[in-house]
Amino acid sequence: MTTAPEASRTAATSQAIGFLLLDNFTLISLASAIEPLRMANQLAGRELYSWYTISLDGEAVKASDGLCVTPDVGTQTALTLDTVIVCGGVGPQRAVKREHLSWLQAQARLSRRLAAVCTGSWALAKAGLLDGYETSTHWECLAAMQEAFPKVALSTRLFSIDRDRATSSGGTAPMDMMLTLIGRDHGRELAAGISEMFIYDRVRNEQDLQRVPLKHVLGTTQPKLLEIVALMESNLEEPITLDELANYVDVSRRQLERLFQKNLHCSPSRYYLKLRLTRARQLLKQTPMSIIEVASACGFVSTPHFSKCYREYFGIPPRDERLDKSSVEMLPVTLGKEPAALLQSASYEQRPLEPLSAAMGALAQAQGEPTYASVRLKS
């Protein structure tokens, strides 16, 4: 076992943080977590934090955008760490190995603070290190984690800090979590200074939720509509009838219809169906539940009816969501042509071979992932 060079730091004031990189981690989450540490040192004029990037074998790890990061050390290297942060991204179920779990459990036995960004919380939960802890993860991973880890207290908050655990969702949310932790360690003034340097207008706190809540779309002028949607979201397995929803918020059925048509441009039944089908897609792509189980969990009384609704909304039947696309060879793509047709095309054969763009590779891989096309854009 080798030992990494010791950084010159004062134990009382400097903290060492290890970033464990999982395959297909999201680079923006890693950067959002590391950059506040760099700026904290810069503004303080001394080393408040040191950090190492870590992989199982010390070899380069590819991010979800195709870029590779060469870590500082492998897990076999002995490091004196105060905090370990797991950096996840696309497909954490496949990225987490048994060796990851063993190493994380060893870190827990050393009483180190454990944290995660994006979907890195999957690794901590799989290692049994989040049982009974409030936990945040990327919203697309929530359904899978709820099914796989019932002892974990999952939250829709941007980030959660619970005792010696800190977990955040993805994107820029890790920056909010790190600024909060830095503020606790060294005061709000330093955290505010870092925020100012990054032109970060507002540091979000633990009460902020993921995605854009409907109330931010509608404002505060439609409290009854917000209440109805909240009821829908809380009752996907056993849907509430529209008459019951209207009664709960003291409006007529006609008023209920008008509220949805005016503000959400669809009927309340259509909106409710969309919520249930979106949940079904997460369960199909992120859990081993059968189609029958998924249909039941999302309030469909029969599998044929579920399949019909699913196909109409997503354009494919539920069973096709589980086709393994990882074995499909990635080929250069030209609009309007299939890869096989391209290989037979004279114009394609005459073109000089070019390396596949990292962006194209990332997109091709994403098409087989649970995160692909989860957010439907208006045409």
Side-chain angles (χ1 to χ4, degrees):
M1 182 177 292
T2 57
T3 303
E6 286 293 330
S8 58
R9 58 189 177 93
T10 304
T13 58
S14 180
Q15 294 187 44
I17 300 176
F19 290 89
L20 178 64
L21 309 181
L22 303 180
D23 287 339
N24 286 313
F25 72 94
T26 49
L27 196 61
I28 188 173
S29 294
L30 174 65
S32 294
I34 288 182
E35 285 298 307
L37 303 178
R38 177 184 69 85
M39 190 54 64
N41 291 347
Q42 179 176 319
L43 295 182
R46 58 192 177 92
E47 189 179 76
L48 301 179
Y49 300 97
S50 61
W51 56 87
Y52 303 93
T53 50
I54 304 168
S55 70
L56 281 180
D57 53 9
E59 298 297 320
V61 183
K62 184 176 289 188
S64 57
D65 57 8
L67 297 179
C68 289
V69 171
T70 301
D72 297 309
V73 295
T75 53
Q76 75 282 357
T77 300
L79 287 172
T80 302
L81 299 173
D82 297 288
T83 301
V84 171
I85 300 178
V86 186
C87 301
V90 176
Q93 298 93 325
R94 296 191 304 276
V96 176
K97 310 298 183 186
R98 185 177 66 254
E99 293 82 0
H100 288 126
L101 305 181
S102 299
W103 187 78
L104 289 169
Q105 289 163 349
Q107 300 306 303
R109 288 194 293 271
L110 292 170
S111 299
R112 287 167 181 171
R113 179 162 63 185
L114 301 177
V117 297
C118 198
T119 63
S121 52
W122 183 279
L124 294 179
K126 185 74 173 177
L129 301 173
L130 290 178
D131 290 356
Y133 285 89
E134 183 170 313
T135 299
S136 293
T137 190
H138 190 284
W139 58 265
E140 283 240 331
C141 199
L142 278 172
M145 287 195 65
Q146 285 171 343
E147 294 294 330
F149 311 112
K151 294 182 180 179
V152 177
L154 285 161
S155 168
T156 57
R157 294 175 179 176
L158 281 175
F159 65 92
S160 301
I161 301 174
D162 186 353
R163 291 162 284 173
D164 57 351
R165 301 288 187 269
T167 51
S168 84
S169 53
T172 58
M175 184 175 293
D176 299 282
M177 181 178 77
M178 299 304 287
L179 287 172
T180 299
L181 292 172
I182 291 169
R184 292 183 181 184
D185 289 342
H186 300 286
R188 291 183 180 179
E189 184 178 355
L190 178 58
I194 297 169
S195 178
E196 186 175 352
M197 288 294 294
F198 290 151
I199 318 175
Y200 207 57
D201 293 338
R202 182 178 78 88
V203 179
R204 296 168 292 183
N205 60 39
E206 293 173 82
Q207 304 307 314
D208 284 292
L209 303 179
Q210 294 185 59
R211 303 189 73 174
V212 180
L214 193 59
K215 64 182 179 181
H216 290 291
V217 177
L218 300 176
T220 59
T221 61
Q222 300 296 335
K224 290 187 180 295
L225 182 55
L226 293 173
E227 189 175 352
I228 293 167
V229 171
L231 284 168
M232 288 179 171
E233 292 174 337
S234 300
N235 293 274
L236 300 180
E237 186 170 356
E238 297 182 4
I240 304 174
T241 68
L242 297 186
D243 287 331
E244 289 174 324
L245 285 170
N247 289 334
Y248 276 129
V249 297
D250 195 25
V251 298
S252 68
R253 173 72 176 267
R254 185 181 294 272
Q255 287 176 305
L256 179 69
E257 297 278 355
R258 283 202 299 264
L259 278 173
F260 275 83
Q261 289 293 350
K262 179 181 178 180
N263 296 282
L264 299 176
H265 312 293
C266 67
S267 67
S269 58
R270 180 66 178 172
Y271 190 87
Y272 209 167
L273 178 63
K274 182 192 78 169
L275 292 177
R276 292 158 59 203
L277 290 172
T278 301
R279 167 73 171 180
R281 192 177 200 219
Q282 291 177 331
L283 293 174
L284 281 170
K285 302 193 79 171
Q286 300 178 12
T287 76
M289 294 172 66
S290 68
I291 292 177
I292 294 176
E293 291 173 327
V294 171
S296 176
C298 297
F300 292 90
V301 295
S302 72
T303 304
H305 177 57
F306 167 60
S307 298
K308 178 177 180 293
C309 294
Y310 198 95
R311 181 194 288 270
E312 289 176 351
Y313 189 75
F314 290 113
I316 58 173
R319 67 177 181 275
D320 287 358
E321 290 287 20
R322 286 190 165 148
L323 290 178
D324 182 13
K325 300 179 182 179
S326 61
S327 60
V328 178
E329 183 178 2
M330 292 187 295
L331 296 173
V333 178
T334 295
L335 290 176
K337 288 190 175 183
E338 295 295 329
L342 280 172
L343 290 177
Q344 298 171 2
S345 165
S347 61
Y348 176 80
E349 292 172 354
Q350 292 170 1
R351 289 203 310 268
L353 292 176
E354 297 178 355
L356 183 65
S357 162
M360 290 299 295
L363 176 59
Q365 175 172 283
Q367 289 173 341
E369 296 296 339
T371 53
Y372 184 70
S374 292
V375 179
R376 295 171 63 85
L377 302 179
K378 293 181 180 179
S379 57

